[in-house]
């Protein structure tokens, strides 16, 4: 289902409102003892407390499940909340995870610093190599993917990997924050659970931190039962409302990000001071077949003639900041040598310190290019 179709499919909101109301309440009351007792005994279902279910949050979950082509979804107060709750719901002490190189840096740190305390082991493989994944899967509990991957934007054949996971009895999870359901729907290709950092394109205005996971009723029920109530990463009603607002313009916004992003990538590819542009549009991998468009996030590597700090500091339109998905264009250098040595995924998987990530926002594309050109000129040693 498209974003527009999902929004249009809503039942009428109260008082014929065009947008859903915000149920900004921490709790829901009962009329009498028997009503409350029935809920606690499981004989009936009613809302109790907004750390669990809240009508505004549930509407966002319903819309995202429809967009992902899933049966259900569960929202969280951050992307890492969704990642942690999902992984911990399916992994126990002594289990093994298979994941890709260049996995999101905080997911990597969770694997290395937290799950290692519970004797959970993690195999990092080349996700573009189906045979390498196949060799690692037997005996694993979870296959954790990102396509494209963080920072270097490598693709995976998600249909083939999801099939391999299923054949081996392994639960497959894919972080789809880069593509969103507009440009990629992993569930229809066999992936069990799809995670989004909703702070990015789903919200789209740099004013919300949130995450969500979509999947089958069975898998989401497991998350609801084993981790969601206990990690405390609940999404607030107001942020859920902001996310619903973001979904209404998601296809239009992504179209703009894609057009401008490809334009900037093409110009950088032909710049004499740029060694390589890391963008899925230049990939020949089979994983490209599940993408129906490109967002505005990619990276490029400058040659040795460019002083990276000088280049970054010379930018005037691009702003230096983490995250992405909003209207503003952003720049983030890899900073591999400067990260703490503990659980440094950039250093482990060889991310160059000359790699620079861009998010292309809504500013005039020619103005963005002029900013990059002048900063490269000032950064030249």
């Amino acid at each position: 289902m498209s974003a527009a179709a999902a929004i249009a499919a809503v039942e009428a909101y109260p008082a014929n409102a065009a947008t859903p109301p915000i149920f900004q309440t921490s709790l829901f009351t009962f009329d009498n003892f028997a009503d409350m007792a029935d809920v606690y005994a499981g004989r009936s279902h009613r809302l109790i407390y907004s750390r669990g279910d809240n009508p505004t949050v549930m509407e966002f979950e319903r819309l995202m499940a429809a967009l992902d082509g899933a049966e259900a979804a569960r929202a969280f107060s951050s992307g890492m909340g969704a990642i942690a709750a999902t992984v911990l719901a399916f992994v126990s002490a002594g289990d093994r995870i298979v994941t890709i190189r260049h996995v999101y840096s905080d997911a990597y740190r969770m694997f290395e610093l937290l799950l290692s305390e519970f004797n959970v082991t993690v195999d990092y493989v080349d996700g573009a190599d189906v045979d390498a994944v196949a060799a690692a899967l037997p005996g694993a509990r979870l296959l954790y993917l990102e396509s494209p991957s963080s920072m270097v934007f490598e693709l995976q054949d998600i249909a083939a990997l999801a099939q391999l996971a299923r054949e081996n009895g392994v639960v497959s999870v894919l972080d789809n924050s880069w593509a969103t359901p507009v440009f990629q729907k992993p569930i229809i290709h066999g992936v069990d659970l799809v995670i989004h950092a909703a702070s990015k394109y789903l919200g789209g205005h740099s004013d919300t931190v949130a995450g969500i996971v979509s999947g089958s009723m069975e898998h989401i029920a497991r998350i609801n039962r084993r981790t969601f109530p206990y990690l405390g990463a609940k999404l607030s009603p107001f942020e859920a409302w902001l996310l619903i607002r973001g979904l209404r313009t998601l296809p239009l916004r992504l179209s703009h990000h894609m057009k401008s992003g490809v334009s900037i990538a093409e110009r950088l590819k032909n710049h004499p001071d740029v060694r390589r542009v890391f963008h899925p549009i230049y990939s020949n991998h089979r994983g490209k077949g599940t993408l129906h468009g490109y967002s505005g996030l990619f990276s490029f590597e400058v040659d040795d003639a460019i002083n990276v700090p000088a280049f970054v500091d010379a930018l005037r339109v691009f702003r230096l900041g983490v995250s992405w998905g909003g209207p503003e264009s952003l720049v983030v250098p890899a900073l591999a040598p400067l990260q703490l040595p503990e659980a440094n995924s950039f250093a482990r998987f060889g991310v160059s310190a000359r790699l620079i990530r861009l998010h292309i926002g809504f500013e005039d594309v020619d103005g963005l290019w002029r900013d990059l050109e002048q900063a490269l000129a000032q950064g030249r040693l």
Side-chain angles (χ1 to χ4, degrees):
M1 180 178 290
S2 69
I7 295 294
V10 301
E11 297 180 1
Y13 293 129
N16 291 323
T19 59
I22 304 173
F23 287 86
Q24 193 68 44
T25 182
S26 62
L27 74 156
F28 304 88
T29 61
F30 295 85
D31 294 332
N32 52 58
F33 177 91
D35 286 349
M36 183 178 245
D38 284 344
V39 171
Y40 274 82
R43 291 187 293 267
S44 66
H45 176 75
R46 282 189 45 189
L47 302 181
I48 302 172
Y49 188 48
S50 283
R51 184 163 60 84
D53 289 329
N54 172 281
T56 315
V57 177
M58 292 166 68
E59 177 65 0
F60 171 59
E61 292 168 342
R62 187 192 68 77
L63 290 168
M64 279 306 302
L67 287 174
D68 276 328
E71 294 177 344
R74 174 57 80 180
F76 295 85
S77 58
S78 69
M80 272 309 301
I83 292 170
T86 301
V87 171
L88 293 173
F90 292 91
V91 173
S92 301
D95 282 342
R96 184 166 62 87
I97 297 171
V98 175
T99 189
I100 61 167
R101 304 174 305 179
H102 306 298
V103 69
Y104 172 52
S105 57
D106 279 348
Y108 175 83
R109 280 189 278 271
M110 182 185 76
F111 295 154
E112 294 296 303
L113 300 179
L114 175 61
L115 296 189
S116 63
E117 296 290 326
F118 300 94
N119 197 31
V120 173
T121 56
V122 183
D123 289 339
Y124 299 91
V125 299
D126 180 358
D129 186 341
V130 173
D131 292 337
V133 178
L137 277 178
R141 184 70 183 97
L142 194 75
L143 173 64
Y144 190 91
L145 305 169
E146 293 177 33
S147 188
S149 61
S150 290
M151 208 65 188
V152 296
F153 304 97
E154 293 175 337
L155 297 174
Q156 297 116 56
D157 185 344
I158 61 177
L161 300 188
Q163 178 64 29
L164 284 171
R166 196 149 296 182
E167 291 171 357
N168 284 275
V170 177
V171 176
S172 57
V173 180
L174 188 142
D175 184 332
N176 198 39
S177 303
W178 186 91
T180 83
V182 174
F183 289 153
Q184 185 168 253
K185 294 184 184 290
I187 284 176
I188 71 172
H189 297 288
V191 173
D192 291 316
L193 290 157
V194 176
I195 291 173
H196 303 276
S199 322
K200 317 306 190 201
Y201 287 121
L202 300 185
H205 294 78
S206 302
D207 54 9
T208 308
V209 177
I212 192 163
V213 55
S214 300
S216 68
M217 293 289 292
E218 178 185 359
H219 284 133
I220 298 301
R222 184 180 176 96
I223 293 169
N224 288 339
R225 183 174 66 253
R226 291 174 60 98
T227 54
F228 173 73
Y230 313 119
L231 297 182
K234 69 97 179 171
L235 182 63
S236 76
F238 181 63
E239 291 193 303
W241 184 87
L242 289 174
L243 290 163
I244 294 169
R245 178 199 64 177
L247 292 182
R248 290 169 175 264
T249 59
L250 180 60
L252 295 173
R253 289 186 288 103
L254 282 175
S255 177
H256 192 108
H257 286 301
M258 177 172 65
K259 182 179 178 181
S260 295
V262 169
S263 176
I264 294 295
E266 283 288 312
R267 300 184 204 196
L268 283 169
K269 191 170 182 288
N270 295 312
H271 195 283
D273 292 328
V274 174
R275 287 178 180 164
R276 181 181 174 187
V277 175
F278 296 81
H279 191 300
I281 198 171
Y282 303 123
S283 174
N284 293 318
H285 191 267
R286 283 186 60 187
K288 191 174 180 180
T290 59
L291 286 174
H292 302 291
Y294 306 98
S295 66
L297 189 75
F298 64 95
S299 61
F300 66 101
E301 185 178 1
V302 293
D303 67 24
D304 293 336
I306 299 297
N307 179 293
V308 173
F311 162 75
V312 170
D313 288 344
L315 290 166
R316 293 294 174 262
V317 181
F318 283 87
R319 298 162 70 178
L320 180 61
V322 300
S323 196
W324 38 274
E328 60 284 321
S329 292
L330 298 170
V331 58
V332 174
L335 294 177
L338 302 181
Q339 278 192 315
L340 293 174
E342 301 88 5
N344 184 336
S345 61
F346 286 1
R348 178 168 180 177
F349 301 118
V351 174
S352 170
R354 311 198 67 74
L355 197 68
I356 297 164
R357 191 187 74 185
L358 298 180
H359 172 251
I360 307 303
F362 293 158
E363 300 92 346
D364 174 69
V365 69
D366 290 330
L368 291 173
W369 178 241
R370 286 193 295 270
D371 193 36
L372 290 167
E373 275 192 312
Q374 65 84 22
L376 284 167
Q378 292 194 56
R380 197 170 292 118
L381 294 172

